[in-house]
Amino acid sequence: MQTFRTEIENPVVEKDIIDLANKIELFHKGKIDEEKFRSLRLARGVYGQRQEGVQMIRIKLPYGKVKSNQLRRVSDVSDEYSRGRLHITTRQDIQIHYVDLNRTPELWAELEKDDVTLREACGNTVRNITASELAGIDINEPFDVSPYADAMFRFFLRNPICQEMGRKFKVSFSSSDDDTGLSYMHDLGFIAKIENGVRGFKVMIGGGLGSQPREADVLYDFIPTDKIIPTMEGVVRVFDRYGERKSRAKARMKFLIKDVGLDAFIELVEAEQNAIELKTVAIDADVYPVSKPVSVEAPQVAIKDQKAFELWKSTNLIPQKQDGYVAIGIKVLLGDFYTDKARLLADLVEKYAAGEIRLSLRQNIVIPFVKEDLVPFFYTELEKLGLVEVGYNKAVDITACPGTDTCNLGIASSTGIADELERVLKAEYPQYLTKDDLVIKISGCMNACGQHNMANIGFQGMSVRTPDKLVAPALQVLLGGENLKNGKGAFADKVVKVPSKRGPEALRRILNDFEANANGKTFYEYYQVTGERYFYDLLNDLQDVTNLTQDDFIDWGTNEEYVKEIGVGECAGVVIDLIATLFFESEEKIENATVSFDNKVYSSAIYHAYSSMVNSAKALLIAENKSTNTHAGIISQFDELFVESGKINLGVSFSELIYQINKNAPTEAFASKYIESANLFLDKVRTYRSPKPLKGAK
């Protein structure tokens, strides 16, 4: 292996980065299969891009909080390793594109110098934990959810129970019943509550978007704050064991809840508490680093255009619960901004606010803790940066994923049509600059990274085929989504599919009808009265593909003729099913178990050993051409095929052996015994497979 130095003080982080560098080298030498390597790099924030030979790097920024030094560090990294552009995602991350794979370990090491990580930003892991961007300053919040989101992030980062799940797992925190964290569309969502003077959360489970959106169920109406981590640990353990692994389309939490039923799922979660070391985890919000605004005298400034300033204040200032302060919302077109502006913004908030920004779920920026008398000064400074566009979180503030710009799964351009629709709104519907009860969102494919199916008006990238079999870019038009608050939501109906170049006309018809007939209703209320058929009839003629022009075959934002190209999706990693690789992984997991045991982290040691046994059993089942959909399925099939038939003698059933994990507390004695069982099990299955050492085995 090549020597790679990180100069990182944290030995755990340093080992992680060095391991990535070593795995990249093994991949280049053909020692690691491409699919297996994909799984490994995704869990470290390295995501394949539509353009060959470069990577998208996703930077994990819990609940969207970015300190000034961190923003400068991210900017430096983007300049050094990419092209100076930063993209804010709908999960409060920052992505940079066009990065050389071989440079990702040093890029990661640079970020960690300011406590910024890539770890588990992609892949089959617990993704970035999001929260209301106004957490801590929200005038409606019962308390600040930031310390609890932060504790959750730190507890599950690198936690062995969530490193190789069947699919990704998304968590959100909402500051209040307004549910601005969108709990209803998350695998696990927490809404802040106070009952009898006790802080806690309403817990939602099993929500999701994608091709089959599902509204979350209520897992618990209220649990105190010290139960949120054990609750999530139980949920993740059950998801890891029973979640689908073969069919990615059915591998999310929402499908597991649907299959087993909510009551049965709750029973599994509560039974799992036997194996959880900490029955309560107290989170001391008082030790969480609170934002501290600076105290400075307001510089005198001259506002050049008072009318523009007043309009900006009416749409971009956000009330704050702390007296004397407001927050400023910065509308970031399509979530893209550049490092030169980012550095100047970091300097501005460090000197005149609280030294931080928040990234929002709508791909924007919030500056908290701006003294009211500093608002004119901030306006003039932001104006110099081109960051005073009006309409923060208003109808003109359209959310869009990168689509065909960089994403492998993009079918049609989402950024191009978003740009055009914003132009239409500003030019033809100026009243929507200040309207905040209409939400428009766009995704480039059905995976809904742009959250199109929870918008009032949504567009999804598709393609359409003409009678003579020519293919043109298209948009599915969806209507009627809404955040109904307190964990409730409505998902949009698919109404019509139109060629992309007719997207603006579809929007015009929808808005013109709404303006003429809504009579003061919100769009959601109006849609509930009119319904899907009404708008189908209004838009139906736009679906006609017998009369397309040459322009219809050119997507928004490009001059080239449209070609439908869909690559391999990397929204979650695909684990390679090579037998030798699985045995090798089992050894690594036992080594990890031993390290955790030596460090007295017995719960982690036990889970590493459990993962090793499942891995080893999976290897033999695959050798027999058996399907391996879930951990629970692997365990029962192994018993049936190998133990009950007498082919392998374990002394007990495999189920009895492995399911000790959820029947015993994570003590030192049990951890030692369980690791020994994993070692013996690996020896038995390896011997059964071949008495000779397998390639890759030690």
Side-chain angles (χ1 to χ4, degrees):
M1 296 291 178
Q2 296 177 346
T3 302
F4 176 74
R5 298 185 182 278
T6 68
E7 299 179 5
I8 297 297
E9 295 181 2
N10 187 324
V12 175
V13 174
E14 183 178 47
K15 181 180 181 299
D16 216 0
I17 296 172
I18 291 172
D19 184 54
L20 175 61
N22 290 339
K23 291 293 185 356
I24 290 172
E25 184 179 352
L26 290 172
F27 170 67
H28 287 318
K29 291 180 177 179
K31 300 291 182 68
I32 298 180
D33 180 271
E34 183 174 359
E35 293 298 309
K36 178 59 192 173
F37 179 66
R38 178 187 297 154
S39 176
L40 183 141
R41 64 173 166 75
L42 282 170
R44 286 147 184 83
V46 183
Y47 191 106
Q49 205 170 294
R50 193 179 189 90
Q51 293 76 12
E52 189 174 350
V54 290
Q55 312 292 317
M56 177 271 283
I57 303 301
R58 184 175 293 147
I59 299 168
K60 195 173 187 178
L61 299 163
Y63 49 101
K65 181 177 178 178
V66 190
K67 294 184 288 187
S68 289
N69 62 305
Q70 293 175 321
L71 185 56
R72 283 191 283 264
R73 177 67 65 181
V74 170
S75 298
D76 290 346
V77 161
S78 181
D79 283 346
E80 173 66 26
Y81 299 93
S82 180
R83 301 180 177 183
R85 188 187 76 168
L86 307 176
H87 176 72
I88 304 169
T89 77
T90 55
R91 294 204 60 75
Q92 299 174 301
D93 296 306
I94 285 179
Q95 294 176 175
I96 58 177
H97 295 82
Y98 300 98
V99 175
D100 182 343
L101 173 66
N102 297 318
R103 302 190 73 193
T104 54
E106 59 188 84
L107 178 156
W108 186 3
E110 286 299 309
L111 287 173
E112 289 284 358
K113 291 177 181 178
D114 279 296
D115 196 26
V116 177
T117 191
L118 306 182
R119 182 72 197 218
E120 294 145 55
C122 307
N124 301 326
T125 61
V126 173
R127 297 291 186 86
N128 194 30
I129 292 179
T130 61
S132 303
E133 58 263 25
L134 301 184
I137 63 174
D138 189 342
I139 59 175
N140 296 318
E141 67 183 19
F143 57 88
D144 183 3
V145 300
S146 302
Y148 307 98
D150 188 74
M152 192 78 85
F153 155 70
R154 297 188 185 282
F155 185 88
F156 287 96
L157 187 70
R158 295 186 176 84
N159 195 310
I161 70 171
C162 53
Q163 298 304 303
E164 296 177 346
M165 297 184 292
R167 281 295 303 274
K168 55 194 172 184
F169 192 92
K170 296 182 177 181
V171 183
S172 77
F173 282 79
S174 286
S175 289
S176 71
D177 287 358
D178 286 343
D179 199 10
T180 50
L182 307 177
S183 69
Y184 68 94
M185 48 160 274
H186 279 78
D187 294 300
L188 203 56
F190 297 89
I191 304 173
K193 304 277 186 180
I194 291 181
E195 286 195 4
N196 300 318
V198 176
R199 288 184 177 186
F201 293 92
K202 180 178 182 178
V203 186
M204 309 300 297
I205 191 161
L209 296 179
S211 60
Q212 299 180 57
R214 182 182 190 274
E215 184 182 350
D217 294 309
V218 178
L219 183 64
Y220 299 112
D221 285 308
F222 180 84
I223 58 172
T225 58
D226 62 2
K227 293 293 289 184
I228 62 172
I229 286 177
T231 295
M232 179 163 159
E233 182 171 355
V235 168
V236 171
R237 283 170 173 263
V238 171
F239 178 59
D240 189 43
R241 188 168 305 136
Y242 295 97
E244 169 72 31
R245 288 173 180 270
K246 185 177 181 182
S247 171
R248 289 180 65 250
K250 296 181 178 179
R252 294 296 299 274
M253 172 65 77
K254 60 185 178 183
F255 295 108
L256 178 58
I257 298 288
K258 182 179 178 181
D259 288 345
V260 305
L262 182 62
D263 291 341
F265 183 85
I266 292 173
E267 288 180 13
L268 289 170
V269 171
E270 293 180 348
E272 202 66 30
Q273 298 301 309
N274 294 326
I276 293 175
E277 179 179 12
L278 303 171
K279 309 305 180 188
T280 60
V281 178
I283 300 168
D284 189 350
D286 292 333
V287 302
Y288 176 78
V290 178
S291 301
K292 294 181 179 179
V294 298
S295 179
V296 293
E297 187 174 334
Q300 295 298 310
V301 295
I303 302 296
K304 299 175 184 177
D305 186 337
Q306 192 66 34
K307 185 177 179 181
F309 176 54
E310 294 300 327
L311 178 60
W312 175 83
K313 285 201 299 181
S314 71
T315 67
N316 292 55
L317 288 192
I318 305 162
Q320 188 168 315
K321 70 179 184 180
Q322 290 83 1
D323 288 340
Y325 293 93
V326 294
I328 293 175
I330 299 176
K331 182 176 177 291
V332 183
L333 181 63
L334 304 177
D336 291 333
F337 69 121
Y338 290 83
T339 53
D340 55 346
K341 294 181 180 180
R343 287 190 186 87
L344 293 170
L345 186 61
D347 294 343
L348 180 65
V349 300
E350 186 172 64
K351 189 172 181 180
Y352 293 101
E356 69 177 68
I357 62 170
R358 311 277 181 86
L359 307 179
S360 86
L361 298 171
R362 288 179 68 167
Q363 301 175 289
N364 290 319
I365 294 172
V366 174
I367 304 175
F369 290 101
V370 175
K371 288 177 64 179
E372 289 177 341
D373 61 356
L374 278 171
V375 168
F377 170 73
F378 264 86
Y379 177 77
T380 59
E381 293 301 303
L382 293 173
E383 188 178 27
K384 295 174 187 175
L385 302 180
L387 296 177
V388 291
E389 179 141 0
V390 297
Y392 171 83
N393 275 8
K394 302 300 187 285
V396 293
D397 195 354
I398 295 176
T399 302
C401 70
T404 51
D405 288 359
T406 55
C407 179
N408 274 323
L409 292 178
I411 298 173
S413 173
S414 44
T415 58
I417 184 63
D419 225 350
E420 178 62 17
L421 295 185
E422 284 210 9
R423 188 197 66 77
V424 168
L425 285 169
K426 291 172 189 172
E428 302 175 30
Y429 304 89
Q431 66 271 36
Y432 285 87
L433 283 172
T434 58
K435 194 175 183 64
D436 62 3
D437 58 357
L438 183 74
V439 176
I440 303 173
K441 293 177 179 282
I442 304 171
S443 298
C445 75
M446 66 181 181
N447 280 351
C449 294
Q451 302 174 340
H452 64 276
N453 40 18
M454 51 82 67
N456 301 141
I457 302 174
F459 295 90
Q460 176 196 325
M462 305 189 82
S463 63
V464 66
R465 190 179 294 272
T466 67
D468 50 357
K469 298 186 179 179
L470 298 175
V471 179
L475 295 168
Q476 179 84 61
V477 181
L478 301 93
L479 300 173
E482 182 68 287
N483 174 7
L484 300 176
K485 303 184 178 182
N486 198 25
K488 299 290 290 181
F491 294 112
D493 295 322
K494 296 176 182 177
V495 180
V496 293
K497 182 168 71 170
V498 304
S500 289
K501 285 299 174 75
R502 296 177 188 170
E505 176 58 22
L507 181 64
R508 287 186 183 99
R509 291 192 190 184
I510 293 165
L511 294 182
N512 288 343
D513 179 83
F514 176 57
E515 288 290 305
N517 303 312
N519 295 319
K521 296 181 179 68
T522 65
F523 188 86
Y524 172 74
E525 292 167 344
Y526 181 59
Y527 184 77
Q528 294 304 299
V529 174
T530 52
E532 179 183 346
R533 184 70 200 191
Y534 176 85
F535 281 98
Y536 175 85
D537 291 339
L538 182 69
L539 304 171
N540 184 30
D541 64 295
L542 296 178
Q543 298 193 97
D544 185 6
V545 295
T546 62
N547 57 353
L548 298 188
T549 67
Q550 187 62 37
D551 189 51
D552 288 312
F553 293 94
I554 299 174
D555 207 353
W556 293 103
T558 180
N559 295 316
E560 299 177 3
E561 188 167 331
Y562 175 75
V563 178
K564 182 179 178 181
E565 293 178 325
I566 306 176
V568 177
E570 296 196 347
C571 292
V574 180
V575 179
I576 186 65
D577 290 338
L578 293 177
I579 299 164
T581 300
L582 287 170
F583 281 145
F584 180 69
E585 283 183 350
S586 294
E587 284 187 346
E588 285 190 327
K589 292 176 190 299
I590 291 173
E591 289 173 5
N592 291 336
T594 303
V595 170
S596 294
F597 183 86
D598 291 343
N599 290 330
K600 302 187 186 303
V601 186
Y602 302 124
S603 57
S604 292
I606 292 163
Y607 214 87
H608 283 306
Y610 162 81
S611 299
S612 172
M613 285 192 274
V614 171
N615 230 45
S616 302
K618 180 179 180 180
L620 280 201
L621 288 169
I622 287 170
E624 300 290 332
N625 296 314
K626 297 295 180 183
S627 174
T628 57
N629 287 26
T630 67
H631 279 189
I634 289 169
I635 294 165
S636 61
Q637 283 185 87
F638 189 89
D639 266 332
E640 182 181 346
L641 192 62
F642 294 103
V643 179
E644 293 170 9
S645 65
K647 293 178 182 178
I648 294 179
N649 181 13
L650 300 177
V652 294
S653 70
F654 185 44
S655 298
E656 289 176 278
L657 176 67
I658 198 167
Y659 280 142
Q660 293 179 73
I661 188 174
N662 60 4
K663 295 178 174 60
N664 290 273
T667 62
E668 179 181 3
F670 175 62
S672 177
K673 179 183 175 184
Y674 202 64
I675 294 171
E676 182 182 356
S677 296
N679 255 317
L680 292 172
F681 183 71
L682 177 57
D683 288 343
K684 283 183 179 290
V685 295
R686 176 178 282 157
T687 301
Y688 177 85
R689 172 65 179 164
S690 172
K692 298 178 182 179
L694 290 168
K695 183 180 178 181
K698 293 183 178 179

